[in-house]
Amino acid sequence: CIGARTAVVATINNIPVAPTASNDTLCGPGSAVLTAVPAENCNCQWFNANNVEITTGVSDDSRSLTTGNLSQNTSYRVHSVNTNTNCTSEYTEIQVVVAPVPGAPTVSNNARCGEGDITLTATPGSNANTCRWYNANSELVHEGTSYEIQDLASTTSFTCKSYNDITGCESSANNSRTAIATIYPIPAQPTVQGNNPICGSGSLTLTGTPAAEATICRWINGNDTTTNNILSTGNLTETTT
């Protein structure tokens, strides 16, 4: 005997699309916060590289995962789970790269006389390929191993850090270095004594007194230069400057 029929509906639900997510880079060991955007009407479900579900560190809306402390590159997986049908998407894999922290740079100071352009140079430390320069307000003012400062009017210090422009990692504050661009004042004219006229040929002893910003006098006669506060001219036969 056959009883009354009961209709049975076989429902085919759509498989959600995989969530979107981005890889992350840590500078040295630490914890990462990973974020994923699931398909519409879906939550995220997180797994480690061995496909073991992760529940610790998952946010209430399931869209982010705070990892434990990582000391090496680590992979995670996340998929969309439809809250109505419980259907799951393909996995999206997320890679956390633990990059080394750059070492301290080597910097060179520089100096010039009077206001003008001056260049500071640096060599990046280990695990870095360039340098970053910061002013006294900790503002990034330049990136590169050579920093030309234009129209500098007074002595100024800059902080230099090693930087890796591939990993985005920068040396720590303890591994930063200070580079000084020194502006020396241009000395005023010296006073000179002993430049009295002589009758006929003869020699003079000239005495120079350097200005307050200077320490010694420099005597220039054509291509000849003498650095001393006292100059014996030798025998002169004509007026000489």
Side-chain angles (χ1 to χ4, degrees), residues 39-192:
E40 187 176 358
N41 299 319
C42 291
N43 289 327
C44 290
Q45 194 171 18
W46 297 84
F47 298 83
N48 63 21
N50 296 321
N51 289 327
V52 177
E53 184 179 1
I54 301 172
T55 57
T56 302
V58 178
S59 62
D60 291 339
D61 65 1
S62 78
R63 294 190 173 207
S64 68
L65 168 67
T66 301
T67 72
N69 189 66
L70 304 178
S71 58
Q72 60 185 5
N73 297 349
T74 306
S75 295
Y76 295 89
R77 293 179 173 183
V78 59
H79 64 200
S80 300
V81 181
N82 189 293
T83 54
N84 298 317
T85 66
N86 209 35
C87 292
T88 59
S89 70
E90 295 291 330
Y91 288 107
T92 296
E93 186 162 326
I94 305 173
Q95 180 82 3
V96 179
V97 175
V98 181
V101 179
T106 302
V107 300
S108 297
N109 300 324
N110 202 357
R112 61 165 292 136
C113 298
E115 178 180 348
D117 299 346
I118 190 169
T119 300
L120 299 174
T121 58
T123 301
S126 59
N127 303 310
N129 56 10
T130 189
C131 292
R132 278 182 164 182
W133 302 83
Y134 295 86
N135 63 18
N137 296 322
S138 299
E139 298 167 330
L140 177 64
V141 293
H142 183 70
E143 184 175 311
T145 56
S146 179
Y147 176 28
E148 181 182 5
I149 308 122
Q150 297 182 338
D151 301 323
L152 191 66
S154 60
T155 298
T156 307
S157 296
F158 297 88
T159 298
C160 180
K161 295 183 178 182
S162 299
Y163 180 65
N164 188 312
D165 60 12
I166 298 174
T167 65
C169 294
E170 185 180 79
S171 60
S172 65
N174 290 337
N175 277 332
S176 64
R177 295 294 182 265
T178 299
I180 303 174
T182 301
I183 303 297
Y184 294 121
I186 296 177
Q189 289 182 329
T191 57
V192 178

